[in-house]
Amino acid sequence: MYGYVRPVLKELPQEEQDRFRRVYCGLCHTLGKRHGLAARFILNYDFTFLAILLSEPEESGCLHCFCPANPCRKREALITTPALELAADESVILAYWQLQDGVADHGFWTGLKYRLAARLLRRAYRRAAAWRPEFDQAARCQLETLAELEEQRCASIDRPADAFAQLLAAAAKEAEEGPRRRVLREILYHLGRWIYLADAADDLAKDAARGNYNPLRYRFSCEGGVLDEEEKRQLALTMDHSVHLIESAYELWNFGCWDPILRSTFYIGLFSVAKAVLEGEFQASKSCKDRKTKIGEESK
Amino acid sequence: MNDPYQVLNISRDASDAEVKKAYLELARKYHPDNYHDSPLEDLAQEKMKEINAAYEQITKERSGRASGSSASYGGSYSYGYGYGGSQSYSGSSVFQQIRLAINRGDLTRAEGLLNAISDHNAEWNFLKGTICFRRGWLDEARRYYQTACQMDPNNAEYRQALNYMESGGQTAYQQGGTFGTDCDSGLCGKLCCAYVLCNSFGYGGFRFCCI
């Protein structure tokens, strides 16, 4: 997950930008408290978004804490809630397995950074997995399916996307049973599907050059690692369809004070990110540093 | 029951026109066509019932007589959903069993029965597409519907399913039809066409049912 899922912060009123920032800082704080300093480095927009989705309709209180990225300034952060704890644990598990995937995908030298990062995150992962065994099991199982599909050079974009979507949908299992959980499951399933496809489109040129598996290379002709206009249209169509299914599900539950942020993400943010990805303009803003500077600027 | 004004998200002193506008907006949002074949179909139906009841209550209170149901939109929305279209179906009994299994949500059984059939005709492709759609496999669903339409271009049910997929899941009842990943200007034009086409069918126009 690389921060694809985000509200359009600059179009939101200041109050909402601050609210988003409080969750971002609150999740960072919770990650640090529960899993140690190393875990704070996995923080990104996608995980913040997961925390918002899992949150209660009302915002809990705030605390002022020091930001390790900017120690001179105190930040307002959401106090730790069960939703933030859940999001933090699930984020650690997802990030750890993603690093393992990186280790498997690369050779000894290029995989070194993944191995090192996974090593740093291992303790946090073990703790998170002990707290959320079902989610860890689901992640493990779906990533195995994904690896098998990669091995077979699966030409369907739906099947590998389904494995990742099921994985993310499993995050809803910890929520209390009832309509909210069903709505969350549907949103997370299609969000997972959308993220997988966005990531595949974003990495297409790189994967084509290195000869790595990417479902788009087998589903479309992808000459020279680039989608032609018709192929882009077809991919945008199926990604947009997932977004519309997210929107239909979203309208069935009241997410309270998070509504402006969620609405901005589902109705505008996802489309603009998909556009940037398909136009090949997203990679440039992908580095962690860029994102952090950006959030700092946007929420000032 | 909840306060009907709260359900429609309007104040008590809203004018009749405002009440109607709020009602129509919500009815459009929760219209069954937007949730057809969705695992959340029942939740949308409940929501629709609540909105209809709220609107009826307000109209009743305001007019002082027991009417209102005639004005409510989607009051008979269960019509044609899931079971209503069975009379239009004329296939072999295996296909009928598959349709029943899909409607029950038993996709494993439906797929098992489908895989045992060697003749991959239009109906086979349509049903395979429906199973994919239910799973959230939207790209494969669209391609199976395409094949079904190529094999039997005159079948309205297949055509409706394909049109729905070609519009990226936008139905005539969803607002913001022009939103989307705009990488091809042709898409908006298509959505507008779909919108007009669907409206001309009335509010059942954009439906494709299994049975």
Side-chain angles (χ1 to χ4, degrees):
Chain A
M1 293 164 88
Y2 299 104
Y4 293 113
V5 184
R6 53 176 70 180
V8 186
L9 280 175
K10 59 179 188 296
E11 283 178 21
L12 281 173
Q14 191 59 43
E15 186 194 346
E16 300 303 329
Q17 293 184 24
D18 293 345
R19 203 193 299 280
F20 186 78
R21 165 135 222 141
R22 285 195 291 274
V23 186
Y24 190 79
C25 294
L27 181 63
C28 182
H29 182 72
T30 310
L31 278 166
K33 213 169 71 175
R34 267 171 100 78
H35 301 294
L37 184 66
R40 287 188 177 218
F41 288 93
I42 67 165
L43 183 67
N44 69 18
Y45 276 3
D46 292 344
F47 294 141
T48 309
F49 195 80
L50 181 65
I52 290 176
L53 263 183
L54 297 171
S55 285
E56 292 299 315
E58 291 306 319
E59 199 180 329
S60 57
C62 289
L63 56 87
H64 287 83
C65 56
F66 286 106
C67 173
N70 191 356
C72 305
R73 218 171 128 195
K74 270 198 165 184
R75 293 272 189 205
E76 231 186 7
L78 208 63
I79 57 165
T80 300
T81 59
L84 279 183
E85 287 177 348
L86 177 58
D89 296 347
E90 292 180 340
S91 303
V92 168
I93 294 171
L94 280 169
Y96 179 77
W97 284 114
Q98 205 150 31
L99 288 170
Q100 292 296 350
D101 191 41
V103 173
D105 276 358
H106 294 80
F108 181 80
W109 290 109
T110 47
L112 216 55
K113 61 177 180 186
Y114 294 99
R115 211 163 298 154
L116 184 70
R119 180 80 191 82
L120 286 171
L121 202 61
R122 190 182 295 164
R123 269 187 66 190
Y125 161 73
R126 283 193 182 144
R127 207 172 308 148
W131 274 321
R132 315 281 175 192
E134 270 187 40
F135 184 71
D136 182 50
Q137 185 55 37
R140 214 183 273 243
C141 167
Q142 295 303 338
L143 288 167
E144 269 169 28
T145 311
L146 209 52
E148 271 170 37
L149 291 168
E150 284 181 16
E151 193 71 28
Q152 297 161 11
R153 298 287 190 233
C154 177
S156 156
I157 55 173
D158 287 323
R159 286 161 207 240
D162 177 74
F164 190 74
Q166 297 275 8
L167 194 171
L168 207 58
K173 274 193 191 143
E174 303 277 336
E176 224 171 280
E177 208 175 325
R180 176 171 172 261
R181 180 155 102 178
R182 292 176 54 202
V183 168
L184 278 176
R185 198 211 164 270
E186 181 77 354
I187 292 178
L188 287 167
Y189 179 90
H190 282 286
L191 205 57
R193 180 178 187 271
W194 184 90
I195 291 173
Y196 183 86
L197 294 177
D199 196 34
D202 205 20
D203 287 343
L204 182 60
K206 209 170 66 193
D207 288 337
R210 290 184 187 158
N212 286 349
Y213 173 75
N214 184 318
L216 300 178
R217 286 179 62 203
Y218 297 87
R219 163 69 178 85
F220 298 111
S221 65
C222 280
E223 294 209 11
V226 182
L227 296 172
D228 67 28
E229 286 309 312
E230 172 55 19
E231 291 168 342
K232 271 188 200 168
R233 188 194 72 83
Q234 288 191 34
L235 181 60
L237 187 68
T238 202
M239 287 174 74
D240 286 357
H241 199 152
S242 270
V243 180
H244 293 313
L245 292 174
I246 292 174
E247 290 165 356
S248 306
Y250 174 71
E251 297 295 348
L252 291 171
W253 189 256
N254 181 6
F255 286 83
C257 74
W258 309 108
D259 184 67
I261 295 174
L262 293 171
R263 205 166 277 282
S264 159
T265 310
F266 295 147
Y267 286 84
I268 310 167
L270 294 182
F271 294 125
S272 57
V273 169
K275 186 174 182 333
V277 165
L278 288 171
E279 300 297 329
E281 292 160 2
F282 191 80
Q283 288 269 358
S285 63
K286 203 161 149 179
S287 87
C288 196
K289 197 179 152 206
D290 280 1
R291 277 204 311 277
K292 287 203 170 140
T293 327
K294 217 168 170 188
I295 190 176
E297 283 166 7
E298 280 171 4
S299 46
K300 250 176 215 166
Chain B
M1 190 192 149
N2 294 334
D3 176 7
Y5 289 91
Q6 225 172 344
V7 172
L8 298 188
N9 199 18
I10 43 172
S11 71
R12 290 199 160 265
D13 46 15
S15 69
D16 287 355
E18 281 166 344
V19 173
K20 190 164 186 181
K21 192 173 164 236
Y23 166 71
L24 285 175
E25 262 175 32
L26 288 172
R28 209 177 150 91
K29 191 193 273 184
Y30 296 111
H31 195 279
D33 280 9
N34 296 335
Y35 294 91
H36 183 58
D37 264 336
S38 157
L40 305 174
E41 203 172 349
D42 57 319
L43 295 181
Q45 281 175 0
E46 271 170 39
K47 202 91 184 172
M48 194 76 179
K49 267 185 209 159
E50 199 186 9
I51 294 159
N52 278 337
Y55 184 62
E56 275 182 36
Q57 197 182 333
I58 295 174
T59 1
K60 213 155 134 185
E61 275 171 13
R62 291 192 172 193
S63 64
R65 62 195 158 82
S67 70
S69 60
S70 59
S72 80
Y73 162 66
S76 58
Y77 63 85
S78 60
Y79 162 76
Y81 273 80
Y83 306 97
S86 57
Q87 66 275 20
S88 67
Y89 176 68
S90 58
S92 76
S93 65
V94 186
F95 282 137
Q96 198 149 18
Q97 275 178 36
I98 296 169
R99 282 175 176 252
L100 282 168
I102 293 174
N103 262 33
R104 276 199 314 271
D106 189 352
L107 300 184
T108 319
R109 179 173 156 75
E111 188 146 55
L113 288 168
L114 209 56
N115 288 346
I117 299 172
S118 54
D119 177 18
H120 295 181
N121 59 13
E123 177 73 4
W124 187 93
N125 278 286
F126 171 72
L127 293 176
K128 190 88 180 165
T130 309
I131 293 172
C132 286
F133 180 77
R134 289 263 182 139
R135 292 213 160 109
W137 298 10
L138 307 174
D139 185 53
E140 284 190 35
R142 189 174 61 89
R143 292 162 82 194
Y144 281 115
Y145 288 152
Q146 243 166 6
T147 314
C149 283
Q150 278 160 10
M151 288 176 146
D152 185 357
N154 298 323
N155 187 306
E157 190 185 17
Y158 306 165
R159 176 61 52 192
Q160 272 180 352
L162 181 62
N163 284 348
Y164 169 74
M165 299 307 287
E166 287 290 353
S167 72
Q170 286 273 22
T171 70
Y173 302 95
Q174 271 166 335
Q175 290 174 322
T178 53
F179 278 113
T181 305
D182 186 20
C183 65
D184 175 29
S185 54
L187 187 64
C188 291
K190 277 179 198 145
L191 285 175
C192 293
C193 288
Y195 189 89
V196 172
L197 191 72
C198 299
N199 274 352
S200 65
F201 277 111
Y203 76 69
F206 214 44
R207 194 168 57 213
F208 62 98
C209 6
C210 242
I211 271 212

